Amino acid sequence: MKQKFSIVLLFLLTTIAYSQVSPIISTYNSETWYYINFKVGGAVLQDMGDGERLSTKVALENSDAQLWKLTGSMDKLVLTSKLGRTIDFVGNNFKTSISTNVDFKLVETLNQNLSPAWELQINGSSKAMNQLGGAGPEKELGEWSLGDDNNLLEFNLPLEMGFLPEKPAEVRMTGSASKPKSALSLWYREPATVWMTSALPIGNGEFGAMVFGGVAQEEIQFNDKSLWTGGKGGYGFYQNFGSLFINTNNITSVSNYRRTLDIENAVADVTFESNGVQYTREYFSSKVDDVVVIRLSSSASSMIDVDLILWDAHAITPKYQDNTISLDGKLDLLNFNTKIEVKNEGGTLSTFDGKITVKDADAVTIILRGKTNFSPSSPNYIFPKENLNRIVQDIVGSASNKSYESLKSDHISDYKSLFDRVSLDLGDMNNVIPTKDLVKAYDGGVQNNFLETLYFQYGRYLMISSARGMDSPSNLQGIWNNSNTPPWHSDLHANINVQMNYWLAENTNLSELHNTFLNYLYNEAIVHDQWKQNALDSGQTKGWTLYTENDIFGSNGGFATNYVVANAWVSMHLWQHYRYTLDKTFLLEKAYPVMKSSAEFWLERLVRDSDGSWVCPNEYSPEHGPEAENGVAHAQQLVWDLFNSTILTMDILGNDVAADIDFKKELQAKFESLDTGLAIDNDGHLREWKYSPRSVGQPGHRHISHLIGLYPGNQISPLIDQDIFNAAIVSLRDRGDEGTGWSMGWKINLWARALDGDHAHEILSGALNYVENTSNGGGVGGGVYGNLLDAHPPFQIDGNFGVTAGIAEMLLQSHTGTIQILPALPSVWKSGSVKGLRAIGLFEIDIDWNNNKATKIGIQSKSDSICVLNYPSIKEANIINKETGESVRFKVISDSIVSFLANKNVDYIVIFPN
């Protein structure tokens, strides 16, 4: 009997209702067999033999060692495997034996984040069965305190397991494929085998897929950004949607296999040869047509012979009819629908036995869409489920009516309108080494400027692919997820992570993508009620706030609910968007209502400290040190930024907000006495806690929260206060360079703001460490996987975005209102160019440099405003109106700072003397 593996591991079938259904107790005449799944990690219990320790394993179909029946009663249970052995407890370990004197009881968990679920408790014990040393397969079982995440169980019938289709052996591969045509490509000479480390992401901002590139069996695992469990008032998990499997029937060996992701065009492909025939498979996710498109073709006619099988991650059986596959399902709140249409050119198409078979075709085009009835601004977050099937059918039908060539060209044109805005050349654009080998060599000490260029642009590719469409932000994994219980729920973590996802939006010229986050903030803070309720729960009568753990419904988890200063942090993004765009309509209609309400929360919450200053009460510095203390530097700096930007906003809006004059007076009064969070201790460090010593924190901790004013804030700069700036650098150096992937992304930005390009580059090198570990690294061990996705570990996309933002900060800064040219250029980037970076004030900047010195600066002004430039000896440069060729008069502020009046839609060139 052949075994079929479940996904790593279904990470558990989503609960269909909020209440827990009791498993059936078996009797002599009626036996019910269950897989006992751990809700976290997705593994199942397995009988390892008589007297052997019980273990967790990947679920296997029809495995007698993994099927269990329950006898007795819920308060006095015996659990017996289909092999006839019962669960026993000997010493400190769970084992299986022919007989046992131990009985158990099942209790419903009180763990609010992961309920409903069961915990298995030995009668007489105060603890429950627990996965020891983490979660997932290959764990032994012991006891731990009730309520622990790693205790939680579900009982699933075999039909509910949703086992994957049988996986055939991969074909034999020979030869060595050449590099791809597009330099900005990730490429490999073998298919992906592990979702997290080697599959390649495609996406249109809200619907995407991970492509494995197998020949014998291709898997296209897909996601929609809105597919969540939970709902209004119930914190959920981001979900896996499912996978499309394509089995090839007529190929046993191939040569010159290559798998590529071309990020210049947002198209993945697989190419190989077999028996003199060239095969090509192309994959992309189109924003224009709102579908994933897959194309199979060959250089000879009648050579495509495949089976197509849809697998649903929630164990729903698809419907196969003619050339379509479809399914409908429901989670806690949301309904979901999937439709696939298959178009063969030549040959035959038939539907039989749960699959579509295409034989002897010249080419096959596959159109795929999965969608939910999520509606971000609707009071109950959904639109009528009756409309969902029609909407999906219309999307797929419309795309199917277009030729493949039109689908592809429209997609590429749309994508390049965003991606091509910025180019970067660090002096090496030669992509001759497969990407995983390139990362390994770099990790081994071989400096490669091309890899750094590729990684910068990969961050922009990932943002375009995950931050468009519906008003919902990209989450901890962007939009890509193969689990129903992903790490940290794959949620919208608001103590740095969701913010970091958008750090690159403005300076790398993707400003409109910021709106998926900004509109989410407006909807949750102003339109919906939960964040207002959070403010009430926090003791205030005004305003709104969010906590650390958030989902797309505004609901939150239970972690660190005293971290209410997240409202000030996310408000920073609204002000930043205005500074880059100068969009007063946005400022008045979207930003100001959110910022004002957040400021009202803090005006009411602040307390007088013994030194007479206003401080934030009971805050903490994520994620270490005292759980609650007044006047924590992180919170003070954020509220300072909120009050400052809200006052500036009101100054800009003038008469439009004149009715709020009393609010402004109170805001200004408290701002004048607000503790700034900028104090220096006796050792020259910037204080993290106002009262507690530095020793209460963890040395080298991944969060650097007390430096929020250095980055992403604007409060700390040598142009503002040299002493505070110096203290921030002392603190930054003391924190160390190692950390998780996202932490290193933050540190690159911080060292760029510290104007130390070589140190920023040193951390960039660490951020590109080659990693294979897919488990929680415990706060260290960050880097990248072979597919260049950031390794926390496990995968978190914020690290990708943080590094891209950091590279841009190394080349250009404008947060103080002065455009700083090459402020943190590392010595290894000796010559190069960057084009299209954005600066505050509606400027686009191009920079060429040689021998680590700027040779030419291009400035495109999109408003009438004063342009202030900072670069060593810039007063000796010549500023020219590109259109007229005339020199532009400028004001010399210092040897390194000049200013001039820039006119709207005029290009300027700054030329340096030889």
Side-chain angles (χ1 to χ4, degrees):
M1 178 175 59
K2 294 183 179 179
Q3 296 172 332
K4 299 180 182 178
F5 293 84
S6 76
I7 200 162
V8 168
L9 185 304
L10 236 192
F11 271 106
L12 238 329
L13 293 164
T14 301
T15 312
I16 301 301
Y18 284 99
S19 60
Q20 180 77 318
V21 178
S22 299
I24 297 171
I25 304 297
S26 291
T27 64
Y28 180 79
N29 294 320
S30 177
E31 294 180 327
T32 302
W33 296 96
Y34 291 100
Y35 287 89
I36 303 177
N37 301 72
F38 278 99
K39 197 163 187 177
V40 175
V44 299
L45 287 183
Q46 181 165 317
D47 178 348
M48 301 302 293
D50 190 34
E52 298 296 325
R53 292 180 179 180
L54 198 64
S55 183
T56 62
K57 298 288 183 180
V58 170
L60 303 174
E61 192 171 14
N62 300 320
S63 170
D64 289 351
Q66 295 178 352
L67 288 165
W68 302 85
K69 67 178 180 180
L70 288 68
T71 54
S73 67
M74 293 289 284
D75 293 326
K76 194 171 184 179
L77 281 175
V78 175
L79 290 90
T80 307
S81 77
K82 216 166 186 180
L83 296 175
R85 289 183 282 264
T86 58
I87 297 179
D88 200 356
F89 190 76
V90 181
N92 293 316
N93 299 104
F94 288 91
K95 298 185 176 183
T96 49
S97 62
I98 298 299
S99 61
T100 180
N101 295 317
V102 177
D103 55 63
F104 301 86
K105 61 180 177 180
L106 272 182
V107 296
E108 291 193 65
T109 187
L110 298 179
N111 183 318
Q112 294 300 310
N113 286 337
L114 294 170
S115 63
W118 298 101
E119 299 190 50
L120 185 64
Q121 197 172 9
I122 300 171
N123 275 313
S125 174
S126 62
K127 300 180 179 180
M129 177 186 285
N130 178 271
Q131 302 173 87
L132 298 178
E138 310 303 330
K139 303 297 181 185
E140 293 185 350
L141 288 304
E143 287 189 296
W144 201 257
S145 303
L146 284 169
D148 187 79
D149 288 358
N150 291 343
N151 296 353
L152 308 186
L153 301 169
E154 290 183 328
F155 291 79
N156 289 304
L157 296 168
L159 288 176
E160 296 173 329
M161 290 298 291
F163 286 102
L164 294 174
E166 183 176 345
K167 186 175 180 64
E170 187 54 278
V171 302
R172 186 170 64 91
M173 296 186 181
T174 60
S176 181
S178 59
K179 69 177 184 178
K181 291 180 181 178
S182 173
L184 290 177
S185 294
L186 287 70
W187 67 286
Y188 311 82
R189 290 182 173 129
E190 67 284 323
T193 55
V194 179
W195 181 90
M196 188 177 295
T197 65
S198 53
L200 295 174
I202 58 174
N204 67 7
E206 59 182 73
F207 186 62
M210 293 285 274
V211 179
F212 282 72
V215 177
Q217 182 181 80
E218 169 64 290
E219 179 181 358
I220 300 101
Q221 182 274 323
F222 59 95
N223 293 101
D224 182 84
K225 185 188 285 187
S226 65
L227 189 67
W228 280 74
T229 56
K232 195 170 183 177
Y235 181 50
F237 280 90
Y238 184 47
Q239 298 291 286
N240 178 11
F241 218 127
S243 291
L244 173 64
F245 292 90
I246 304 173
N247 290 347
T248 301
N249 299 318
N250 62 339
I251 298 175
T252 58
S253 64
V254 302
S255 61
N256 300 325
Y257 174 96
R258 188 183 68 213
R259 177 170 57 101
T260 303
L261 175 59
D262 172 3
I263 65 172
E264 287 188 79
N265 296 293
V267 176
D269 69 52
V270 170
T271 60
F272 54 86
E273 300 169 24
S274 181
N275 295 322
V277 177
Q278 179 74 27
Y279 292 85
T280 301
R281 299 174 176 178
E282 293 183 305
Y283 320 75
F284 57 87
S285 184
S286 169
K287 179 68 172 67
V288 177
D289 292 293
D290 201 18
V291 291
V292 164
V293 181
I294 304 150
R295 171 80 166 181
L296 315 177
S297 62
S298 63
S299 61
S301 60
S302 306
M303 298 304 296
I304 306 299
D305 188 350
V306 294
D307 295 331
L308 288 84
I309 304 165
L310 176 62
W311 174 82
D312 174 66
H314 302 90
I316 294 172
T317 301
K319 299 174 184 176
Y320 294 80
Q321 184 175 1
D322 300 325
N323 67 329
T324 66
I325 313 172
S326 61
L327 61 82
D328 296 278
K330 188 179 188 305
L331 301 178
D332 300 325
L333 173 66
L334 297 175
N335 290 81
F336 60 92
N337 181 282
T338 303
K339 180 159 185 174
I340 297 171
E341 186 163 332
V342 183
K343 297 165 59 180
N344 58 302
E345 298 172 24
T348 62
L349 183 149
S350 60
T351 302
F352 179 73
D353 196 24
K355 61 186 177 184
I356 288 178
T357 297
V358 178
K359 289 183 175 293
D360 303 326
D362 303 331
V364 176
T365 301
I366 303 159
I367 309 296
L368 163 65
R369 184 60 163 112
K371 190 174 177 64
T372 77
N373 64 330
F374 175 70
S375 176
S377 59
S378 170
N380 58 0
Y381 291 98
I382 56 174
F383 61 79
K385 65 181 181 181
E386 294 78 16
N387 297 342
L388 179 60
N389 180 64
R390 174 185 54 77
I391 291 170
V392 175
Q393 195 145 338
D394 288 348
I395 290 170
V396 173
S398 178
S400 296
N401 286 333
K402 295 174 66 172
S403 68
Y404 175 74
E405 291 73 19
S406 294
L407 290 166
K408 183 179 177 182
S409 63
D410 289 350
H411 159 68
I412 291 174
S413 177
D414 168 71
Y415 170 79
K416 290 178 79 65
S417 69
L418 294 167
F419 184 81
D420 285 355
R421 294 174 183 175
V422 172
S423 64
L424 176 64
D425 184 347
L426 297 178
D428 179 4
M429 293 298 290
N430 199 9
N431 188 4
V432 296
I433 302 173
T435 304
K436 185 167 76 171
D437 298 334
L438 188 66
V439 177
K440 285 183 174 180
Y442 185 96
D443 191 24
V446 180
Q447 170 63 30
N448 190 294
N449 288 2
F450 170 72
L451 177 60
E452 294 166 0
T453 302
L454 180 65
Y455 197 60
F456 168 81
Q457 292 286 29
Y458 190 48
R460 297 183 68 246
Y461 165 83
L462 291 171
M463 184 172 198
I464 296 168
S465 301
S466 64
R468 303 174 78 186
M470 70 177 70
D471 292 335
S472 184
S474 51
N475 59 48
L476 281 175
Q477 296 178 185
I479 57 172
W480 299 281
N481 169 41
N482 72 331
S483 165
N484 286 337
T485 55
W488 301 285
H489 295 234
S490 193
D491 71 359
L492 308 175
H493 240 59
N495 68 357
I496 186 171
N497 312 92
V498 70
Q499 294 94 324
M500 186 180 288
N501 281 7
Y502 288 83
W503 281 357
L504 71 162
E506 302 296 343
N507 61 357
T508 74
N509 215 335
L510 298 172
S511 182
E512 57 267 65
L513 274 60
H514 213 160
N515 288 322
T516 52
F517 184 33
L518 305 180
N519 290 340
Y520 168 79
L521 298 180
Y522 179 85
N523 285 337
E524 295 305 329
I526 305 301
V527 177
H528 292 297
D529 297 327
Q530 182 58 56
W531 287 8
K532 300 184 188 85
Q533 183 62 47
N534 292 348
L536 296 174
D537 294 343
S538 301
Q540 313 321 129
T541 64
K542 297 178 180 180
W544 62 274
T545 195
L546 70 165
Y547 304 136
T548 299
E549 299 174 322
N550 305 277
D551 65 17
I552 64 171
F553 311 107
S555 302
N556 57 270
F559 175 73
T561 53
N562 69 312
Y563 185 70
V564 294
V565 79
N567 62 358
W569 192 341
V570 298
S571 294
M572 185 185 290
H573 284 255
L574 297 156
W575 175 240
Q576 180 192 48
H577 184 65
Y578 169 75
R579 293 186 76 198
Y580 275 92
T581 64
L582 303 183
D583 184 345
K584 286 185 67 174
T585 301
F586 164 81
L587 189 66
L588 175 64
E589 296 179 358
K590 287 291 179 74
Y592 177 66
V594 178
M595 294 165 67
K596 177 191 174 186
S597 185
S598 179
E600 287 176 325
F601 173 93
W602 284 105
L603 286 174
E604 187 179 60
R605 185 174 177 82
L606 292 172
V607 297
R608 280 281 192 189
D609 206 2
S610 58
D611 62 5
S613 66
W614 291 104
V615 296
C616 306
N618 301 317
E619 275 292 336
Y620 91 127
S621 192
E623 295 174 353
H624 73 146
E627 292 185 3
E629 182 173 304
N630 290 4
V632 171
H634 175 69
Q636 296 302 138
Q637 292 172 28
L638 284 172
V639 173
W640 184 95
D641 188 276
L642 172 66
F643 283 13
N644 182 60
S645 59
T646 304
I647 291 168
L648 292 171
T649 294
M650 297 187 77
D651 290 342
I652 293 166
L653 294 177
N655 290 334
D656 288 329
V657 295
D660 292 333
I661 185 63
D662 291 338
F663 161 73
K664 187 177 183 182
K665 287 179 179 178
E666 183 184 4
L667 186 63
Q668 287 174 320
K670 287 196 172 179
F671 182 54
E672 289 172 2
S673 299
L674 181 70
D675 186 314
T676 62
L678 302 178
I680 303 172
D681 68 15
N682 293 332
D683 296 328
H685 296 74
L686 201 67
R687 290 193 68 93
E688 189 160 0
W689 296 276
K690 187 168 184 176
Y691 297 107
S692 295
R694 195 169 69 253
S695 58
V696 301
Q698 298 175 23
H701 194 269
R702 60 193 174 274
H703 283 264
I704 320 102
S705 303
H706 58 311
L707 301 186
I708 194 87
L710 180 62
Y711 187 90
N714 312 312
Q715 199 177 355
I716 301 172
S717 167
L719 301 178
I720 299 172
D721 187 314
Q722 188 68 49
D723 291 338
I724 294 296
F725 178 77
N726 291 342
I729 304 311
V730 171
S731 294
L732 181 56
R733 186 171 287 110
D734 183 68
R735 207 60 142 210
D737 295 345
E738 294 186 0
T740 59
W742 64 259
S743 178
M744 287 188 282
W746 193 0
K747 289 174 182 177
I748 293 168
N749 284 278
L750 286 165
W751 279 110
R753 288 280 176 93
L755 309 180
D756 190 337
D758 284 335
H759 204 143
H761 185 270
E762 186 177 339
I763 299 174
L764 171 59
S765 297
L768 286 169
N769 289 335
Y770 177 72
V771 175
E772 292 184 344
N773 176 30
T774 59
S775 301
N776 192 325
V780 294
V784 294
Y785 296 115
N787 57 8
L788 295 189
L789 292 178
D790 171 73
H792 175 285
F795 163 48
Q796 272 188 208
I797 203 165
D798 42 18
N800 289 99
F801 297 142
V803 171
T804 294
I807 291 173
E809 285 285 325
M810 293 162 75
L811 299 171
L812 182 76
Q813 295 176 24
S814 62
H815 56 289
T816 63
T818 296
I819 300 172
Q820 297 169 261
I821 304 298
L822 303 181
L825 184 70
S827 55
V828 294
W829 294 350
K830 186 176 180 179
S831 299
S833 66
V834 64
K835 301 187 186 305
L837 292 181
R838 289 284 295 278
I840 282 168
L842 269 180
F843 294 103
E844 285 192 12
I845 308 296
D846 303 340
I847 310 170
D848 294 281
W849 69 92
N850 189 35
N851 291 323
N852 296 104
K853 293 183 179 180
T855 57
K856 185 172 69 172
I857 304 168
I859 303 167
Q860 184 181 66
S861 178
K862 298 194 175 183
S863 70
D864 294 320
S865 59
I866 300 296
C867 178
V868 184
L869 298 174
N870 177 285
Y871 189 73
S873 301
I874 197 168
K875 71 172 187 176
E876 307 296 335
N878 189 16
I879 302 177
I880 300 170
N881 182 313
K882 188 176 180 181
E883 182 178 353
T884 66
E886 297 175 349
S887 293
V888 177
R889 295 182 62 183
F890 57 84
K891 178 181 178 181
V892 177
I893 300 172
S894 69
D895 287 351
S896 57
I897 303 177
V898 301
S899 66
F900 69 97
L901 176 61
N903 298 124
K904 185 176 181 179
N905 296 327
V906 175
D907 291 353
Y908 302 90
I909 300 175
V910 181
I911 302 293
F912 291 88
N914 293 329

